[in-house]
Amino acid sequence: MSQYFDIHGLDKPFTLFSVGHLVSVAVILFAVLVLYRFREALREPRANRLFRMNLAGVVLLSEVALESWQAWMGGWTLDYSLPLQLCSISLLFAVVMLWNRSYRLFEFMYLAGMGGALQAILTPDLGHYAFPHFRAFEFFVAHGGIVLACLFMVFVEGMRPTLGSLWRALLMLNGIAAVVYVINRLTGGNYMFLAHKPSSASLLDVLGSWPWYLVSLEGVALGMFVVLYLPFLFRRKSANYHELARQRNSTSA
């Protein structure tokens, strides 16, 4: 049992699109479908609060468990273990968003937080933390929780991003990056990969050398925001079209 909590991971590496990976994605997708199916019931005040608080608790517990595990196994370091990667920051923001039902946090979380979490879920960088290692379970619970938190605000709370949300989220992302950059300088860390590229293969490999890949990431982030915003744009245009058609039909009648 102890090998499943070893700070160095297992002998075998995590394999992309392995059975464990596909099952994890399927479980998250199923949870999203269940959330959508029961969206009306979750608008009832008591059920709404109960779900929000429980989801916030699970998300927060996943981060506490990760930090505690690293400390217990002697792997916690100032330059690596602070919750300053984008997904860790998003995880903490998700807790506050669920607690306060904050629209401003939703704008950032839906575009930057969920975008980052989806990318992590589909292409996890887990090294030798393959299933059934603790880190693999924690990883998918945390990132799946971010996705569920964002979609809860869409399906149940009825929140929608706007065109202005894209720029506000990008501005907030850059503000966070500026603070994290200073912390990297103080600790010698590489949080949000602002100091250098990750050692393993990643999207950053095709975006140029430091610091130019940071500039390229601005375009990648904005492009991802646009893709996540498009369903709402198309739905709004479709609703406007049907409303105009209804008005024409009523006028001609």
Side-chain angles (χ1 to χ4, degrees):
M1 180 65 72
S2 61
Q3 70 266 29
Y4 301 140
F5 291 89
D6 193 301
I7 196 69
H8 302 294
L10 304 177
D11 293 334
K12 59 179 180 177
F14 184 93
T15 304
L16 191 66
F17 303 132
S18 60
V19 173
H21 185 196
L22 293 176
V23 168
S24 300
V25 172
V27 168
I28 293 171
L29 179 59
F30 178 74
V32 169
L33 294 175
V34 170
L35 175 64
Y36 182 79
R37 169 64 179 80
F38 292 100
R39 65 193 184 281
E40 295 291 343
L42 288 173
R43 290 179 184 139
E44 191 276 324
R46 186 173 182 276
N48 182 288
R49 178 176 175 79
L50 190 63
F51 185 89
R52 284 189 296 111
M53 296 304 99
N54 277 282
L55 181 56
V58 169
V59 169
L60 182 59
L61 183 60
S62 70
E63 182 64 24
V64 172
L66 175 62
E67 299 285 336
S68 301
W69 167 69
Q70 288 181 330
W72 181 261
M73 299 303 297
W76 198 100
T77 61
L78 195 62
D79 63 344
Y80 179 78
S81 303
L82 293 174
L84 293 176
Q85 298 291 7
L86 179 59
C87 282
S88 293
I89 294 169
S90 298
L91 190 149
L92 298 176
F93 281 178
V95 174
V96 179
M97 178 184 71
L98 287 167
W99 187 274
N100 292 334
R101 289 186 279 195
S102 166
Y103 179 75
R104 289 301 180 211
L105 273 181
F106 163 76
E107 289 182 306
F108 176 82
M109 284 298 301
Y110 175 79
L111 296 169
M114 190 170 75
L118 287 173
Q119 181 184 356
I121 289 168
L122 295 176
T123 58
D125 179 21
L126 281 170
H128 279 259
Y129 295 127
F131 285 108
H133 196 279
F134 156 79
R135 179 71 173 97
F137 285 105
E138 184 279 332
F139 179 91
F140 284 101
V141 168
H143 290 82
I146 292 172
V147 172
L148 283 176
C150 294
L151 294 180
F152 175 86
M153 306 308 284
V154 174
F155 296 157
V156 180
E157 300 295 338
M159 293 186 182
R160 304 287 184 267
T162 65
L163 189 59
S165 300
L166 275 66
W167 305 110
R168 285 189 289 272
L170 192 63
L171 181 63
M172 186 173 178
L173 181 61
N174 278 273
I176 292 170
V179 174
V180 172
Y181 177 79
V182 173
I183 296 175
N184 281 340
R185 298 282 292 184
L186 294 173
T187 63
N190 187 33
Y191 298 109
M192 293 181 68
F193 304 117
L194 297 177
H196 56 80
K197 298 178 184 180
S199 56
S200 58
S202 71
L203 172 66
L204 302 185
D205 292 335
V206 299
L207 296 181
S209 58
W210 189 93
W212 304 113
Y213 73 82
L214 299 177
V215 179
S216 301
L217 278 175
E218 296 280 348
V220 171
L222 183 58
M224 180 179 65
F225 292 179
V226 170
V227 169
L228 290 170
Y229 172 65
L230 283 178
F232 297 96
L233 177 64
F234 291 150
R235 183 175 181 180
R236 189 174 297 116
K237 287 187 174 181
S238 176
N240 291 339
Y241 172 81
H242 288 298
E243 177 62 21
L244 287 172
R246 187 190 65 80
Q247 290 176 1
R248 291 195 194 100
N249 291 336
S250 61
T251 302
S252 61

